[in-house]
Amino acid sequence: MIRINLSPEPQWLDLGHGVRLQLLPLTTALMVATRSDIAVQDLAADASNDSRAAVFASALARRGVVDWDGVGDADGAVIDVTPEGIDALLSLWPIFEAFNLHYVSRGMLLDAEKNGSAPSPTGTSVGATATARPAKRSAKTAPRD
C-alpha cells in the first residue's frame, strides 16, 4: 500500500545532534527540479555514486529546506538558512546520512515498493496451489505382498 500525505505544509525532520530541518513535501515537482539543477547536470559522466548522492542531496536540500533549528556559526550564533549554509550542513557526515535516509530515501521508496510481488497463483510460491497430481507409487516403493 502506498501512503500519501496530502498536506502541502512543510514538515519538521529531526536529524539528530540538535538539528531539525523544516522541509517542503517531497513531490515529483521537487525531484524533477532537483534533477535539472545545474550542479547535478554538471556532474562528470564518470562521477562516483557517492559524489552523485552528495550533489543530489545538496541540490534537493537547497530547494526543500524552509527553516532550521540548531544550526549556528563558529561562535554559536544562530544563522539564517542560505544555500551555502545548507551545503556546509550537509558536508557533515551524520547530518548528510540522516537527511539522505529520512528525506531523500522517501522519494526512492516507491521505486523499491513496486519491485515486491504478491505470491504467484501457480508455481512454487507459498501462496500457490498445486498444479500436478501426486505421483503414483512406483514398483520399487509399492508394499510387497
Side-chain angles (χ1 to χ4, degrees):
M1 173 191 310
I2 294 175
R3 295 186 176 117
I4 300 173
N5 179 1
L6 298 176
S7 172
E9 299 301 315
Q11 303 288 317
W12 284 96
L13 176 63
D14 185 357
L15 299 179
H17 306 280
V19 175
R20 292 185 330 144
L21 299 180
Q22 188 178 34
L23 296 155
L24 295 172
L26 189 56
T27 62
T28 300
L30 194 59
M31 291 294 278
V32 169
T34 301
R35 287 181 182 167
S36 299
D37 186 278
I38 192 74
V40 173
Q41 293 295 313
D42 282 351
L43 280 166
D46 62 345
S48 70
N49 287 340
D50 291 341
S51 294
R52 290 181 184 284
V55 169
F56 188 84
S58 289
L60 184 59
R62 287 191 299 272
R63 286 178 165 69
V65 174
V66 175
D67 199 2
W68 57 25
D69 283 336
V71 180
D73 64 14
D75 297 323
V78 175
I79 59 174
D80 291 329
V81 175
T82 63
E84 297 78 22
I86 290 170
D87 289 345
L89 181 65
L90 288 182
S91 73
L92 303 172
W93 173 251
I95 300 299
F96 167 80
E97 188 174 47
F99 178 77
N100 208 34
L101 179 65
H102 298 292
Y103 187 66
V104 179
S105 293
R106 274 193 268 164
M108 308 304 174
L109 284 179
L110 291 178
D111 258 0
E113 283 182 15
K114 73 179 181 186
N115 290 332
S117 301
S120 174
T122 58
T124 59
S125 298
V126 172
T129 56
T131 58
R133 291 186 211 112
K136 294 181 184 178
R137 289 187 161 187
S138 72
K140 290 181 183 178
T141 60
R144 295 182 186 193
D145 292 317

mmCIF file of all heavy atoms in Angstrom, residues 28-49:
data_model
loop_
_atom_site.group_PDB
_atom_site.id
_atom_site.type_symbol
_atom_site.label_atom_id
_atom_site.label_comp_id
_atom_site.label_asym_id
_atom_site.label_seq_id
_atom_site.Cartn_x
_atom_site.Cartn_y
_atom_site.Cartn_z
ATOM 1 N N THR A 28 6.955 15.133 -6.778
ATOM 2 C CA THR A 28 7.541 14.899 -8.095
ATOM 3 C C THR A 28 8.159 16.191 -8.630
ATOM 4 O O THR A 28 9.267 16.175 -9.178
ATOM 5 C CB THR A 28 6.476 14.378 -9.065
ATOM 6 O OG1 THR A 28 5.965 13.153 -8.552
ATOM 7 C CG2 THR A 28 7.034 14.170 -10.459
ATOM 8 N N ALA A 29 7.454 17.290 -8.472
ATOM 9 C CA ALA A 29 7.963 18.572 -8.969
ATOM 10 C C ALA A 29 9.305 18.922 -8.334
ATOM 11 O O ALA A 29 10.227 19.388 -9.015
ATOM 12 C CB ALA A 29 6.943 19.673 -8.693
ATOM 13 N N LEU A 30 9.432 18.666 -7.042
ATOM 14 C CA LEU A 30 10.681 18.958 -6.344
ATOM 15 C C LEU A 30 11.810 18.047 -6.834
ATOM 16 O O LEU A 30 12.932 18.503 -7.070
ATOM 17 C CB LEU A 30 10.480 18.797 -4.834
ATOM 18 C CG LEU A 30 11.559 19.358 -3.931
ATOM 19 C CD1 LEU A 30 11.744 20.858 -4.138
ATOM 20 C CD2 LEU A 30 11.212 19.079 -2.475
ATOM 21 N N MET A 31 11.502 16.783 -7.037
ATOM 22 C CA MET A 31 12.519 15.843 -7.530
ATOM 23 C C MET A 31 12.946 16.190 -8.956
ATOM 24 O O MET A 31 14.134 16.169 -9.286
ATOM 25 C CB MET A 31 11.992 14.406 -7.479
ATOM 26 C CG MET A 31 11.819 13.863 -6.075
ATOM 27 S SD MET A 31 13.358 13.665 -5.177
ATOM 28 C CE MET A 31 13.911 12.093 -5.831
ATOM 29 N N VAL A 32 11.984 16.526 -9.812
ATOM 30 C CA VAL A 32 12.303 16.873 -11.202
ATOM 31 C C VAL A 32 13.144 18.151 -11.251
ATOM 32 O O VAL A 32 14.124 18.236 -12.002
ATOM 33 C CB VAL A 32 11.015 17.010 -12.040
ATOM 34 C CG1 VAL A 32 11.294 17.630 -13.398
ATOM 35 C CG2 VAL A 32 10.348 15.651 -12.200
ATOM 36 N N ALA A 33 12.769 19.137 -10.448
ATOM 37 C CA ALA A 33 13.541 20.379 -10.399
ATOM 38 C C ALA A 33 14.965 20.112 -9.931
ATOM 39 O O ALA A 33 15.924 20.695 -10.452
ATOM 40 C CB ALA A 33 12.856 21.389 -9.484
ATOM 41 N N THR A 34 15.113 19.213 -8.977
ATOM 42 C CA THR A 34 16.449 18.881 -8.470
ATOM 43 C C THR A 34 17.284 18.201 -9.548
ATOM 44 O O THR A 34 18.475 18.480 -9.701
ATOM 45 C CB THR A 34 16.343 17.996 -7.218
ATOM 46 O OG1 THR A 34 15.589 18.704 -6.226
ATOM 47 C CG2 THR A 34 17.704 17.660 -6.662
ATOM 48 N N ARG A 35 16.678 17.306 -10.317
ATOM 49 C CA ARG A 35 17.415 16.656 -11.408
ATOM 50 C C ARG A 35 17.904 17.663 -12.438
ATOM 51 O O ARG A 35 18.890 17.427 -13.126
ATOM 52 C CB ARG A 35 16.536 15.613 -12.092
ATOM 53 C CG ARG A 35 16.337 14.380 -11.269
ATOM 54 C CD ARG A 35 15.489 13.385 -11.992
ATOM 55 N NE ARG A 35 15.263 12.212 -11.175
ATOM 56 C CZ ARG A 35 14.371 11.291 -11.422
ATOM 57 N NH1 ARG A 35 13.603 11.388 -12.492
ATOM 58 N NH2 ARG A 35 14.220 10.270 -10.630
ATOM 59 N N SER A 36 17.182 18.781 -12.552
ATOM 60 C CA SER A 36 17.557 19.821 -13.517
ATOM 61 C C SER A 36 18.543 20.821 -12.935
ATOM 62 O O SER A 36 18.987 21.723 -13.643
ATOM 63 C CB SER A 36 16.302 20.564 -13.986
ATOM 64 O OG SER A 36 15.434 19.665 -14.619
ATOM 65 N N ASP A 37 18.873 20.699 -11.662
ATOM 66 C CA ASP A 37 19.803 21.613 -11.009
ATOM 67 C C ASP A 37 21.139 21.605 -11.761
ATOM 68 O O ASP A 37 21.611 20.547 -12.189
ATOM 69 C CB ASP A 37 19.998 21.178 -9.551
ATOM 70 C CG ASP A 37 20.839 22.163 -8.770
ATOM 71 O OD1 ASP A 37 22.084 22.091 -8.867
ATOM 72 O OD2 ASP A 37 20.248 23.002 -8.061
ATOM 73 N N ILE A 38 21.741 22.761 -11.893
ATOM 74 C CA ILE A 38 22.989 22.901 -12.645
ATOM 75 C C ILE A 38 24.100 22.036 -12.042
ATOM 76 O O ILE A 38 24.893 21.435 -12.775
ATOM 77 C CB ILE A 38 23.429 24.385 -12.763
ATOM 78 C CG1 ILE A 38 24.560 24.538 -13.783
ATOM 79 C CG2 ILE A 38 23.806 24.968 -11.423
ATOM 80 C CD1 ILE A 38 24.108 24.405 -15.191
ATOM 81 N N ALA A 39 24.151 21.938 -10.712
ATOM 82 C CA ALA A 39 25.196 21.127 -10.077
ATOM 83 C C ALA A 39 25.021 19.640 -10.418
ATOM 84 O O ALA A 39 26.003 18.927 -10.621
ATOM 85 C CB ALA A 39 25.170 21.319 -8.564
ATOM 86 N N VAL A 40 23.779 19.194 -10.500
ATOM 87 C CA VAL A 40 23.501 17.803 -10.859
ATOM 88 C C VAL A 40 23.812 17.583 -12.329
ATOM 89 O O VAL A 40 24.435 16.581 -12.703
ATOM 90 C CB VAL A 40 22.029 17.437 -10.537
ATOM 91 C CG1 VAL A 40 21.676 16.052 -11.047
ATOM 92 C CG2 VAL A 40 21.768 17.551 -9.036
ATOM 93 N N GLN A 41 23.411 18.516 -13.172
ATOM 94 C CA GLN A 41 23.649 18.392 -14.609
ATOM 95 C C GLN A 41 25.128 18.450 -14.960
ATOM 96 O O GLN A 41 25.558 17.837 -15.934
ATOM 97 C CB GLN A 41 22.906 19.506 -15.366
ATOM 98 C CG GLN A 41 21.397 19.395 -15.298
ATOM 99 C CD GLN A 41 20.898 18.148 -15.993
ATOM 100 O OE1 GLN A 41 21.299 17.839 -17.100
ATOM 101 N NE2 GLN A 41 20.024 17.419 -15.321
ATOM 102 N N ASP A 42 25.916 19.176 -14.165
ATOM 103 C CA ASP A 42 27.349 19.339 -14.451
ATOM 104 C C ASP A 42 28.217 18.192 -13.944
ATOM 105 O O ASP A 42 29.434 18.224 -14.132
ATOM 106 C CB ASP A 42 27.860 20.655 -13.849
ATOM 107 C CG ASP A 42 27.465 21.856 -14.706
ATOM 108 O OD1 ASP A 42 26.955 21.659 -15.831
ATOM 109 O OD2 ASP A 42 27.651 22.995 -14.235
ATOM 110 N N LEU A 43 27.612 17.188 -13.312
ATOM 111 C CA LEU A 43 28.411 16.050 -12.848
ATOM 112 C C LEU A 43 29.069 15.352 -14.038
ATOM 113 O O LEU A 43 28.450 15.173 -15.081
ATOM 114 C CB LEU A 43 27.532 15.051 -12.106
ATOM 115 C CG LEU A 43 27.201 15.394 -10.663
ATOM 116 C CD1 LEU A 43 26.057 14.522 -10.166
ATOM 117 C CD2 LEU A 43 28.433 15.229 -9.790
ATOM 118 N N ALA A 44 30.299 14.959 -13.840
ATOM 119 C CA ALA A 44 31.013 14.224 -14.886
ATOM 120 C C ALA A 44 30.348 12.871 -15.093
ATOM 121 O O ALA A 44 29.798 12.287 -14.160
ATOM 122 C CB ALA A 44 32.473 14.034 -14.488
ATOM 123 N N ALA A 45 30.393 12.383 -16.302
ATOM 124 C CA ALA A 45 29.773 11.094 -16.629
ATOM 125 C C ALA A 45 30.361 9.966 -15.794
ATOM 126 O O ALA A 45 29.672 9.002 -15.479
ATOM 127 C CB ALA A 45 29.948 10.796 -18.115
ATOM 128 N N ASP A 46 31.620 10.091 -15.403
ATOM 129 C CA ASP A 46 32.262 9.036 -14.625
ATOM 130 C C ASP A 46 32.278 9.334 -13.119
ATOM 131 O O ASP A 46 33.020 8.703 -12.366
ATOM 132 C CB ASP A 46 33.672 8.779 -15.131
ATOM 133 C CG ASP A 46 34.574 9.997 -15.007
ATOM 134 O OD1 ASP A 46 34.056 11.118 -14.791
ATOM 135 O OD2 ASP A 46 35.808 9.828 -15.137
ATOM 136 N N ALA A 47 31.449 10.277 -12.675
ATOM 137 C CA ALA A 47 31.384 10.604 -11.248
ATOM 138 C C ALA A 47 30.918 9.384 -10.459
ATOM 139 O O ALA A 47 30.070 8.617 -10.922
ATOM 140 C CB ALA A 47 30.434 11.774 -11.016
ATOM 141 N N SER A 48 31.471 9.212 -9.279
ATOM 142 C CA SER A 48 31.111 8.059 -8.450
ATOM 143 C C SER A 48 29.675 8.212 -7.929
ATOM 144 O O SER A 48 29.127 9.314 -7.879
ATOM 145 C CB SER A 48 32.066 7.942 -7.269
ATOM 146 O OG SER A 48 31.832 8.998 -6.348
ATOM 147 N N ASN A 49 29.089 7.098 -7.538
ATOM 148 C CA ASN A 49 27.747 7.129 -6.960
ATOM 149 C C ASN A 49 27.720 7.961 -5.686
ATOM 150 O O ASN A 49 26.725 8.640 -5.416
ATOM 151 C CB ASN A 49 27.250 5.711 -6.668
ATOM 152 C CG ASN A 49 26.888 4.973 -7.932
ATOM 153 O OD1 ASN A 49 26.653 5.570 -8.983
ATOM 154 N ND2 ASN A 49 26.845 3.657 -7.841
#
